[in-house]
Every structure is written in structure tokens, then in C-alpha cells.
Amino acid sequence: MRQILVRSEYCLGCKSCELACAVAHSTSKTLFEAINEPMPPQKRVFVESSGGLNFPLQCRQCLDSPCVHACMSGAMQFDRATGLIQVDEHKCVGCLMCVMVCPFGVIAELPDTHRVAKCDRCQDLDYDPACVAACPTKALEFVEVREFAHSGRQTFLDQMKGVN
Amino acid sequence: MESQKSIDPAVLELLPKAALDGVETVWDRHEAQQPQCGFGSLGVCCRHCLQGPCRIDPFGNGPKTGICGASADVIVTRNLLMHVAAGAAAHVDHAYEVVEALELAAKGEINYSIADENKLQQVAKRLGLEIVGKSKEDLALEVVEVAYADIANHGKKPVQWLMANAPKERIAVWESLGIVPRNPDREIREAMHQVTMGMDADPVNLVLATAKQGLVDGYSGLKLATDMQDILFGTPAPVVTEANLGVLKEDYVNLIVHGHVPLLSEKIVYWADKLQDEARLAGAQGILVSGICCSGNEVLMRKGIPLVTNFLAQEIAIVTGAIDAMVVDVQCIMPSLTQVASCYHTEIITTMPIVKMPGATHVPFTLENADEAAQEIVRMSITAYGRRNPHKVKIPNYKRKIMAGFSVEAIIGALSTVDPVQPLKPLVDNIVNGNILGVVATVGCNNVQVTQDLLHVELVKELLKNNVLVVATGCSAHALAKAGLMNSEGTEAYAGESLKAVLTAIGQAAGLGAPLPPVLHMGSCVDNSRIGDLVTAIAEYLNVDSALLPVAASAPELQHDKALSIGTWAVTMGITTHLGVVPPVLGSKAVTKLLTQGLSDVIGGKFYIETDAKKAAEGLLEDIRAKRKKLGLPS
Amino acid sequence: MSYIIVGNSAAGLFAIEEIRRHDTKSEIIVLTAEQEPSYSRCLITYFLAGEIPASQLYLRDVDFAARLNLTVVYGAEVTEIDSAHQIVRSADGREWHYSKLLLAMGALANKLSILGDDLPEVFTLRTMRDALAINNILEQGARKAIVIGGGLVSLKSAYALRKRGLEVTVLVSSGQILSQMLDAKAADIIQEHLRANGLRFLLETEAQAITGQNHVQGVLIAPETELDADLVIVGKGVRPNSEKLRGFGFNIGLGLQVDSYLETNISNIYAAGDITETWDFVRQKFTVNATWPNATTQGRIAGANMYGRQEVYLGSLGLNSVDFFGLSAMSAGITKLLKKEAHEDWSQTENLKMLGGLPIYRNLIWQGDVLKGFVLVGDTSQCGVLTALVKAGQPLTQTQKNLTKGKRGTLAVGMMK
């Protein structure tokens, strides 16, 4: 299964992914219309930095899924069909227990409804993540893990070539 | 990561109060902005036309040119030119206002006088004007005419203020590069044209245009403004006062002047003194005027008004709860001020037609109504004093004694007590023999990206230790004042042995009974012209190109377009100019190399980027030693 | 293979789902004393507040039992366990054979033992039945309520009743609300916020008796002082529902004791959820951490081990979250320093600021360089990362410690370096 993977060394912190994410979760799906929607769309990817390191963080779809365990309304569930953890916003009551246990801090509160939202891997866009498409330096990739690892090894070898 | 916000103990004491009072400060907003866009930081974001915005991927995975075809080199240099032209525009606009003031004052149309006839004659002489037998008003009008002529120049004639004041060797270099400006307004207009879509695509040509803007700034901005201000308000002479938030007095009406142009703040100082009784009637002990940023520096230099704090702590000053009114003119005024003031009783008063803020009271200032406006403002501060909530007052007990007022005239005055015939000789001799290794000017702003004042203070301490004489202006001067580097004790504590001996000797000769301070406060940002004058005078005295002198400049915490512009001028003067905050140019390796290396071959000066204070000091010392070696001086 | 799950709440439900992940064939029988499919106890106060309909209390879709091929027996209160024959019996005499048994009967609400505690408008709030009964009283027009207790359930109840427009007074016997969950400063902030939103608090106040003949009239808090009330909710904590298991050979301490695979001292019998005594890895002692995430995690691991995996349960963690009138508070692990002299290498980093008129409070508790717990009020966005640090129990470098003061995500990113 393809995953959203990050090459943090390419992340310039421009937050294009954050903007694209919010737009992808708007009603209109266009930036110029989304900014006028009565309920401003909420991004689910967060570009954070620490020292020189930038990182676009979004739900990592953890296998031990503490958010699912913490959810007392049954809103946060593992979706067998896609292998993704999804929030049912109708069931969510905004207790924020999932926020409390998410080790990446990537579950956001929707300010208007007081419910939570997180990366749904762009369900509405046929699972074609908007953040990945928006990244101008290809710091975000949507690939099979083995492809990602392969290209990482390739890069390493290319660099070694310079050394030897 | 939470790094130290400031080294200023007064600021550190008040930050928790700000948090509890619900005040959002510049540090909070900086944190909220993290991470900041790397494209912008690298200078490879272009918003010059509506086909954009465009960005260049510095890693090469994405686009290598903008939609129009502009490369990273072009985008970076276009953006840089825009920054520097904007900075020049700010200073030229400032200078223009004071030229106007001198004209109207000379004509007797406004209530300003010509305070310094000597300076007027000195300026006139350099401009080649005949001074004998002319009233000061007539001479002033002739000087004003030259200034206006520059701005009204329609031909190819170079800017006269530059030709009259710049070192000859430099003018020759600038002419060879074709960058001598003709008319400041025209040059700025041309730069704005040059950066539009489909114009200049030659990075080298754009860098030269940037250098030209530096000259516009240096002579039609800084130099012109200082000259006019000295004529109108007097050339600074040494004054002693104090700096930092501890200067505020709990039982006084505290009125702060903040901004850059002294036209209003001079009047405020005058009327605050006149209206002391009204303050006493309101229950205060009196009115205390003190200053932030360069309005503060201007009235410090000429009137001995204490300094409150520098750019980054302008909000924190309000958090004391003891500021009754803060009157602002132009430049470096955070739009957040009214929001901060709304947590207290503080009145924010805007005065200029191009600086208004929702939530502030606007008292229009014109040259014609200056006295009325100043009185109104002083009275507003007295009224606001009555609304002060004593429970919200906390004035940190931190202040340092400072000696300021070191115009070139004042420095020469002090030196002439040692050698009345050749006053520069004692200074130059000590540079030649190595007692003074060199001179570094630290200038410019605070920048929230670095710990407030840290780079200024650490860099300067390191330089002093190595017997480098430091002169300072702007918010750098504030930082060094607050750190106790502008008094005799500072010389004892921080100056290297041979520097200490020189400063002590001059101090004794000048009758201070103590050493001169190790850092000489030369004034506001526009007063960087004074540093230029000093360098020019030394170069003239030695009959060498200023590019050869063991002199360097540093803007350790630069933030403003003006600082880039001033720095560019310093580079055109042939001076190595250190920047402690990385300017948005790294997205082009070629341009970065040109600015930090290549330029020195053509113009003598270069930018030197180093964000670590110790390393920067080492770099500057190395530069100074290299220049000494070239001159055959011991190092 | 036949699995029997006793209890249909958090632990039971997650155990069932885990078993079915591995074993789609075997029989699973769910015995529940209640009459409802799995519902969320934690949401009861949301229902009471009128924020969600009763239908939203259910945790899974209506076809859940069918989809997972479960046999659910309602109204089956297990009273006897014959481990020699692997049989459980209910109070009404029914019996079932098990290969693997999970005891997940949760906890019971403590009652008051004072005069008048049997009046019809006196409730504890634990089950859906309690909630529906209280809701009835509200719909009949109750105006004044007294909540006895200052803990989480009490305050959530008080909040709900206030939201329904009642005058609510909360009686707290100690000097601080939420004393299990928060430190004194955070509790003060929450109390002030609740007070500003119309709740009344009486600290260091005990209910002496509940007055009224056939209906509640009031609560006596001192011989001469009576507070009017139409409704009384008692929130004096819960106790593990393990009493009735005494006599069947189980090791019972504070709750039902288990090993690190969540198996009891009797083979093939597991326990999970609020009934269970577990190792609290922050407090470093055995205790009952009766919170939702602990229950679900225990349920999942017990389920896995019942199937035959060998998953180790590392222990539980005190973890709580509340949100009242737009101000949220969260805490985990150790939330206050006890007597200083006994805790020489313990320290706390406290921080309070105001943002938009609301307080932002944070208190991190350290033992040396190890984060042992925290309290957050206002801005809770970094809670998850801090919880992960508490769970990790690793000493942090000074740089990492500084990161804990930053905003959301900075910490997560900083820890990657």
C-alpha cells in the first residue's frame, strides 16, 4: 500500500501542503472559494520545525492506533477496506481523547464544530493526497515503502560515488 | 525550539507579566510563524507579475526558472534591489522632510530656528558655496536649493550631495562602474521599473543597480538628513544620561517618542518641559520624555533624553503599565502597538499621514502646526496619566549610565584637546601604531530571529577585547547602551589594554576625569552618515582610499530594508560589512558568491554573512588585520 | 474454541474485535448484565447535556453483532465461575462453557450512605439507565440540582445539568475539584471558568443528609443549613466490580489481579478494563486506572492473548481530558508534586499566560530528566506528544526538554532528530 512519506531535507517550510490540505477538505475544493466558505476548512497536515529541521507532519496511520483506543464515541475507527484510520465526524463528540494520545500531535480540532479532524488521505479526491501534489520540492511523496526505500538507497549510492 | 528571547534583563523580567496580562508579543507571533517559508528566506520566491507567484526549487527537483524564465539568480537580485531601493526611499523621504523644514525655517514661515550656524557653513563650504557675508537664513536657502536641485535634476549630472561629500577615490570607482546616481527620486523610480516583469535579467547589472541605490541612500538619504537636522537642531555634543526601562519613573507622566524623524520629537521635548506644571496639577511629579528607536536616539544626542529600549522591546515598554502615551512618527513602528496598549491605559498617538493605525489617536503633525500638535500630545499624555492603573505598573529596575552625543564634530572636539592643530592625528597615530587595531561600526536593528541584543553585545565585547574601537548607531547603539558599553566603566571592563590606554588618555585630556566610553554613540540610523564622514575624514587625512582603511561595519541583527540599504552603501564605500542575519539571497549561489566575494574586486567592499557572534568577530578582526597588512601596519 | 466475554463495554468490545481479527470462525459469546448493545459510558453526560441523541451513545453499527458473528446475551449477570469445568453461570441459572474467558465487568459507582439516599431523585451516573432516568426528571421540569463530589463524573454531570438550564451546586468534600486529575492551580482555573459559566461550588462541604419525604427537597450540609434541590447526583467515584468474584479462587487486590499477559491467576481466564488492577508504570505501583484508553488497550491485548498470541501489557497510565464551556484540560501521569523533601530529584516547570482572555496553563512534572506527568489547560494541542514522552519514560536532553515548552508538533519533530 502506498504511504505518504517525507524527505524532510527537502522541506522548506513553505506550507503549500497545509494550504492544499485545507482546500482539499473544503466544500468547493478551490482556494479562492474556500477562503469564503462559512466553515473555514481545516488543514490536517502541520509543517513544524525544530532547529533547522522542517517536517510536514500528518497522521502516520499507526498500527497500534492509540487514537482508536482512546476514542470513547466509536468515531475513530480502523477502516478495513482502506487500511486507514478514519474519523466519523457524526459520531465524534469532541472529547479530544484522541488528541491527548496522538504521539505526533496531528489530530486537529475543528474550531466551528468542536469535532476533530485528521488526515483521511484525501478520501474525497480518490485517495490522491493534495499535500503531495502541492509540494514544490517533492519533499512529500505518495509511494510504496519499498520504492521510497529503494530511491533512498539509490541516493546514498550516488553520493558514495562522489566520495570514491 | 524555544531559544532565549533577549539578553536584556528588563525584557526578561517583563515577559512573564506580558503573558499574564494577555499581551501577545513579537516573540509569540514569531513562534506562531514557524517554520517560515524557505523560498522566501532563500529569496527565490517571485511575486513581480500576476502570472506568478513563482518559486525555484533550490534542490533542483522542481522548477529551475519562473514562468517568465527568470532564474534563481535573477529572482534573488531583483528582490534584493527592491529591498534596497525601498530602504533608500525611506531615508530619502525622511531627508526631504527635513530639507523642507530648513527651507520654511529659513523663510521664517514656521517656528523652527537654525540652531547651528557653524554646521550650516561647513555644509555650505563642502557644497562649494560662498559663505562670507551671508545671513544664516540666506545661506540656508542656498543649501536647500542645492538639495532641491538634486531631487529636481533632469540631466546626467551626478547628485551634488554625493560629489561634495564622498571621498574622491571612491567617486572614481563608482564612475567606472556607472553607478553614480543623478537624482535620488529618479534612481528609485528607475529601480522600481527595473525589477518589473520583463526587464533586467542580468544578475550582475541588477547588483550594480543595487549598489547605486546604496549611494542614493548614503548621500541623498542619510547624509542629507543628518546635515539638515544638525543645522536645524544643533550638532550633537557629549551628553550623559541613562538607558533601559528602568529610566521610567513611576510618579511621572511617561511620554515616549518612537520613530525616526526629530521634527516632532524635538517639539515634544520642548513642550513637555513647558507643561511640567500641568502634570503636577494632575498629581504627577512631572513629565518624563524618553525614547525608543531612532526618535529616541535623535533627542538623546541633542537633548540628553534617556533611552527606554530598542525595536524589539517596543511592546514590552508598554507592558510596564507606566507608559501614558507613546507618540510615533515613521518607520519601525509595530502595527501591534495598539493591541498591546489596549491591555493598559496607554495612548498610542500617530502623527504622520502615511502612518496611521486603527486604535490609535491620530494627531496630524505638520511643520506649520508643530507646536500645537506637540502641546496636544503632551496634554494627552497628562490626561492618560490619570487613567493609569497602579496595580498594572511594573518598572524593572535596570538602567545603565551612558555617554552619547559623539558626532564627528564632538569626536574631533575631544581629540583636539590632545592635538589642537591636527585633531585626527592622535586617533590615526594610534591606529597606525596598533594601539587601536581598527574601527568597527555596529549599526541597525533588532531581529526576532535572534536573541535580542545578543549579537550586538557579544560581537562588540569581542572586538573591544581585541582593541578595536567601536562606534554605533540605531538600535545597535541602544543594545550596547543597555549592556553598559557606553560609559567609562565599560572601558575598564571590556576594552583591551592598548585601547583602554588611548581612551583614558583622551578622556583625561578632554577633562572627563575618566576614560572615553569604548563604544561611541554616533546617533540614529540616518546618522550612519556621521560614520561615513569619519571614515571619509580619516581617508582624506591619510590621503588613501577608504577601501584600504582598517575599518569594518556590522549590522548584527538587521531587520529592515533600511538596514540592507545602509549596508549596501557601506559596501560601496569599500568596507567589509557583516550581516548577522542571513539576507534572502542564498537561493542563488552565484549571487551569494558575488555579494560576499566577487564585489570586493570591483568595489573594494563586500558582504560578510555570519550568524555567530564570536565567529563574526574573528572574521572582522581577520579582515582588519588583512587591511593593516596591506597598508604595512603592524597587527 | 469458545470465547466468552463478560461485559460489553470498552474492554469487552475491543477484545472481541481483536479476537475476530485473528479468528473469524470460533464462537464468541458476549454476556452483559445490561439490556443494550455496547454504548459509551463516557458519552452519557454528553447525552444528558443534550449535545447528542441517545442513539449516538452506541459505539458500533446495528449490524455489528451479526457482522462479527457474535452471540450477545443481554441481562446476563454472571455470579458464578466454575474454573474446574470452565463454566460460567448467571444469576438466573443459565450457564455457558468457555475455552477462554474474559472478565470485563467494569466498575460500580459508589453510593452515599446518608439519610435520604434512597429517594427517587437521587442518582449515581454510570449506566445508560441512570442517564435515561435523570433525563426523565429533567423533562418533568427539575430546576435545581445538587451534585455531590468534585471528581470528573460529578463535574461532567454538573456541566450537563447546567447546559440543560438547571441551577447547579457542586459539593466538594476536599478543598479542590478534580483533585485526582489536576494540580491546585489548574483546578482553580477550571473552577473559576465553571463558576463564570454559572456553576456554584461549595468546597470542604459534606452532604449530611438528603431531605424530603417521597421526593428530594434538599441537601443538608450543616445541622442548620439546607440547600434546595429537585435532583441529587452522587459522584463519589467507582470501585471495581470484583466483589462478587470472591470465593472463586481469584487473586483480588484493589481489583482483579492479572499477569503481564492480562491473565488472572486462573488459567484461561483473563481480565481487562475497570475491574482490573494493573501496573501503573509512571506511579510504579499496582492500581486501578479506570479510564477509557486503558480499558480499550487492555481489552485488545487480552483478546490477542486469548487467541493465543503472546502480547505483553506494559502497564497503565492515568490519563484524563475534560472540556467545559470551551476550556479544555488534560493531564497524564503524575500531576502534582507531593511533599518536596521526599522528592529531591523531582521538579516541575510551570507556565501560565493569558490568550484572548482565556488562561493557558501548563505544568510538567519531572523526575530528573524524565517526564513523569503533566497538566495542560487551554492549549492542549501538544498533549499527545507529551503523553508519548511520559510513556517512553526516557531521560531527555536539555534541548529536548526545551522543546516541551514549544508549540504543537515542534516537539514531535524535535524528537526525530
Side-chain angles (χ1 to χ4, degrees), chain B residues 232-250:
Chain B
L232 278 167
F233 304 118
T235 303
V239 290
V240 174
T241 179
E242 292 169 322
N244 211 344
L245 287 159
V247 304
L248 297 173
K249 291 185 181 166
E250 195 156 354

Side-chain angles (χ1 to χ4, degrees), chain A residues 11-155:
Chain A
C11 177
L12 290 179
C14 72
K15 302 172 193 164
S16 298
C17 52
E18 292 189 355
L19 213 55
C21 177
V23 172
H25 293 91
S26 68
T27 311
S28 62
K29 313 285 185 219
T30 72
L31 174 63
F32 293 161
E33 288 176 78
I35 55 168
N36 290 320
E37 286 176 15
M39 298 249 248
Q42 170 74 46
K43 64 180 180 187
R44 295 114 197 270
V45 54
F46 306 88
V47 182
E48 299 290 353
S49 67
S50 172
L53 176 67
N54 293 332
F55 204 101
L57 270 173
Q58 71 288 89
C59 173
R60 303 313 305 155
Q61 306 288 352
C62 313
L63 283 181
D64 65 347
S65 33
C67 54
V68 176
H69 288 152
C71 180
M72 58 194 203
S73 70
M76 190 75 76
Q77 284 194 51
F78 185 76
D79 175 20
R80 260 160 219 279
T82 57
L84 300 172
I85 297 163
Q86 299 285 21
V87 196
D88 177 344
E89 64 179 282
H90 302 293
K91 292 193 93 168
C92 176
V93 297
C95 72
L96 307 184
M97 286 298 280
C98 52
V99 173
M100 182 154 188
V101 297
C102 173
F104 296 100
V106 290
I107 301 177
E109 185 184 350
L110 297 169
D112 294 297
T113 60
H114 195 52
R115 305 285 186 262
V116 298
K118 68 168 205 59
C119 172
D120 59 359
R121 208 161 278 177
C122 286
Q123 216 167 357
D124 290 358
L125 307 181
D126 286 336
Y127 298 99
D128 183 11
C131 56
V132 174
C135 181
T137 60
K138 316 267 187 288
L140 282 162
E141 290 188 64
F142 188 49
V143 288
E144 297 284 343
V145 173
R146 61 187 147 74
E147 272 176 48
F148 186 85
H150 170 75
S151 79
R153 292 191 293 269
Q154 198 61 52
T155 310

Side-chain angles (χ1 to χ4, degrees), chain A residues 46-55 57 64 66 68-78 80 89-109 114-115, chain C residues 14 17 21 40 42-43 46 51-52 56 58-61 156 292-293 296-297 300 319-323 328 330-332 374 380-381 383-385 387-388 391 403 407-410 412-414 416-417:
Chain A
F46 306 88
V47 182
E48 299 290 353
S49 67
S50 172
L53 176 67
N54 293 332
F55 204 101
L57 270 173
D64 65 347
V68 176
H69 288 152
C71 180
M72 58 194 203
S73 70
M76 190 75 76
Q77 284 194 51
F78 185 76
R80 260 160 219 279
E89 64 179 282
H90 302 293
K91 292 193 93 168
C92 176
V93 297
C95 72
L96 307 184
M97 286 298 280
C98 52
V99 173
M100 182 154 188
V101 297
C102 173
F104 296 100
V106 290
I107 301 177
E109 185 184 350
H114 195 52
R115 305 285 186 262
Chain C
F14 274 68
E17 289 186 324
R21 262 176 18 111
S40 174
C42 302
L43 292 195
Y46 289 79
E51 288 172 355
I52 58 170
Q56 209 181 316
Y58 298 110
L59 287 162
R60 295 293 181 261
D61 299 339
K156 284 175 78 174
W292 186 271
T296 52
T297 306
R300 191 193 69 72
L319 195 68
N320 279 297
S321 162
V322 290
D323 186 301
S328 60
M330 296 183 181
S331 74
F374 60 85
T380 52
S381 60
C383 183
V385 190
T387 304
K391 280 188 185 167
L403 287 173
K407 61 170 183 155
R408 173 230 298 276
T410 313
V413 171
M416 290 180 198
K417 286 206 278 194

Side-chain angles (χ1 to χ4, degrees), chain B residues 25-48:
Chain B
T25 66
V26 62
W27 287 281
D28 298 317
R29 297 189 298 273
H30 173 249
E31 192 189 353
Q33 282 290 341
Q34 297 313 305
Q36 290 168 269
C37 176
F39 295 99
S41 307
L42 294 171
V44 288
C45 171
C46 181
R47 297 186 295 114
H48 284 271

Side-chain angles (χ1 to χ4, degrees), chain C residues 21-199:
Chain C
R21 262 176 18 111
H22 307 292
D23 179 348
T24 51
K25 300 257 158 51
S26 299
E27 181 178 38
I28 298 181
I29 300 170
V30 184
L31 304 179
T32 169
E34 300 205 40
Q35 300 292 348
E36 305 282 350
S38 295
Y39 65 88
S40 174
R41 294 191 199 293
C42 302
L43 292 195
I44 285 172
T45 55
Y46 289 79
F47 159 70
L48 206 55
E51 288 172 355
I52 58 170
S55 62
Q56 209 181 316
L57 293 171
Y58 298 110
L59 287 162
R60 295 293 181 261
D61 299 339
V62 280
D63 65 343
F64 179 74
R67 208 154 31 86
L68 268 70
N69 188 20
L70 310 173
T71 307
V72 185
V73 184
Y74 295 103
E77 191 188 342
V78 170
T79 49
E80 196 186 331
I81 295 167
D82 178 350
S83 55
H85 300 97
Q86 302 201 190
I87 284 172
V88 293
R89 290 197 186 85
S90 65
D92 54 11
R94 288 180 282 175
E95 60 176 56
W96 296 268
H97 175 266
Y98 67 84
S99 316
K100 301 280 179 183
L101 172 65
L102 178 69
L103 299 176
M105 293 98 95
L108 299 171
N110 291 327
K111 301 224 160 73
L112 272 185
S113 299
I114 56 171
L115 194 67
D117 65 0
D118 52 353
L119 287 167
E121 295 87 6
V122 179
F123 295 96
T124 55
L125 184 48
R126 175 80 187 162
T127 63
M128 196 156 169
R129 189 198 303 222
D130 297 333
L132 292 168
I134 296 169
N135 196 47
N136 269 339
I137 305 264
L138 295 185
E139 281 173 359
Q140 285 160 28
R143 285 179 25 255
K144 290 186 176 183
I146 289 180
V147 175
I148 300 174
L152 201 54
V153 174
S154 304
L155 291 195
K156 284 175 78 174
S157 308
Y159 167 78
L161 296 175
R162 181 70 202 139
K163 278 235 143 177
R164 292 287 289 271
L166 274 74
E167 269 179 47
V168 184
T169 304
V170 182
L171 308 184
V172 185
S173 51
S174 74
Q176 184 200 314
I177 63 166
L178 297 172
S179 56
Q180 301 286 316
M181 172 186 170
L182 301 177
D183 61 12
K185 204 169 275 178
D188 281 350
I189 293 169
I190 297 289
Q191 187 185 327
E192 174 51 30
H193 184 69
L194 288 171
R195 195 199 56 72
N197 280 283
L199 285 182

Side-chain angles (χ1 to χ4, degrees), chain B residues 209-276:
Chain B
T210 306
K212 187 196 270 186
Q213 291 299 316
L215 294 175
V216 169
D217 189 58
Y219 294 98
S220 297
L222 313 179
K223 176 67 178 152
L224 180 58
T226 302
D227 284 347
M228 297 296 108
Q229 287 168 185
D230 280 357
I231 294 169
L232 278 167
F233 304 118
T235 303
V239 290
V240 174
T241 179
E242 292 169 322
N244 211 344
L245 287 159
V247 304
L248 297 173
K249 291 185 181 166
E250 195 156 354
D251 45 3
Y252 275 65
V253 173
N254 286 304
L255 172 54
I256 303 248
V257 293
H258 174 20
H260 284 78
V261 185
L263 290 171
L264 171 64
S265 35
E266 282 276 339
K267 288 288 184 189
I268 297 276
V269 172
Y270 175 83
W271 280 107
D273 188 45
K274 288 278 170 228
L275 299 177
Q276 293 285 353

